[in-house]
Amino acid sequence: MELIRGLHNLRPRHRGCVVTVGAFDGVHRGHQAVLRSLIEKGRELQLPTTAILFEPLPREFFAPLQSPPRLMSFREKVIALRDFGIDRVLRIRFNRELSEMSADDFVQRVFIDGLGVRFSVVGDDMHFGRHRKGDFELLRKIGARHGFEVVSTCSVMQGDERISSTRIRAALEAADFAEAEKLLGHPYSISGRVMVGQQLGRTIGVPTANLHLHRLRAPLAGVYAVEVIGAAAKTLFGVANVGTRPTIGDLTKAILEAHIFNFSENLYHRHLKVIFRKKLRDEQKFASLDVLKQQIACDMQAGRKYFSI
């Protein structure tokens, strides 16, 4: 898969494709329906598929402190789109200039001049352009004038409600990982490269693999029983904390710290996937490191009991 970093990196060879555009946070079952339609049309027309993403997300640009937590980092999203079979991702920087571009100008600049779009499939609730005035109907009319077809996908339902990133965030906040998995189509996980930290866990006898979350806010907070993929040839088990380590008080942004049971190899700079299975407790501030160590021992015992190891 090719990642095109910005409109200025579009080349003549990128013209002539089928396109979708959206946040795709979580790449959940609703998103997958859109992507599946795009891939089918790409095969029919023998054209590459392109997904257009914005960084930062518009809501993060306008109100970073009030924007909902991301289900995925940008890197996780690109990998998920690649694995689903998308050929290209066009990352467009969302800034003041783009926010003030009219919907018509956006379609002209990106769809017509930049990509030479031949077909587009979008969610039935999409909005774009200044003041979000662009919608499916406008895109369809512009497409008819310029020779490309625009279709929408109906909302994918789970129970009586539409599948959405908002529903998944609510399930994660409630630690309902079974519901989140139904909506996503796969277990919820966080992936990343293990970074070199302060090695505090090692000094208190509980070494951890620390991962940056690469998002303004995390959709989870607390201590969890987790599965870890990427540390060994098989899936391993452990406990993970997502938070700011309030007992130590040395973090302003949340990180993920995973302790893997019966594992002592060096994991620095390795990519891990941490799958969340059960919430054990909320993150809390303890009176001392000794009290924290006692609680960590209880957390590990609870994690082992959950996995029956």
Side-chain angles (χ1 to χ4, degrees), residues 21 120 222 245 295 302:
V21 56
S120 180
R245 305 197 298 199
Q295 182 59 57

Side-chain angles (χ1 to χ4, degrees), residues 230-284:
K234 63 179 182 179
T235 299
L236 301 177
F237 305 104
V239 293
N241 179 78
V242 180
T244 58
R245 305 197 298 199
T247 302
I248 304 163
D250 63 343
L251 295 178
T252 57
K253 291 183 66 175
I255 64 169
L256 187 159
E257 301 172 284
H259 172 73
I260 304 173
F261 299 141
N262 306 319
F263 187 85
S264 59
E265 294 182 24
N266 187 341
L267 291 174
Y268 290 137
H269 310 301
R270 296 268 292 277
H271 279 282
L272 301 183
K273 175 186 282 189
V274 179
I275 301 173
F276 295 83
R277 292 303 188 186
K278 179 180 175 59
K279 186 169 185 177
L280 302 178
R281 64 174 175 86
D282 291 332
E283 187 179 44
Q284 62 190 99

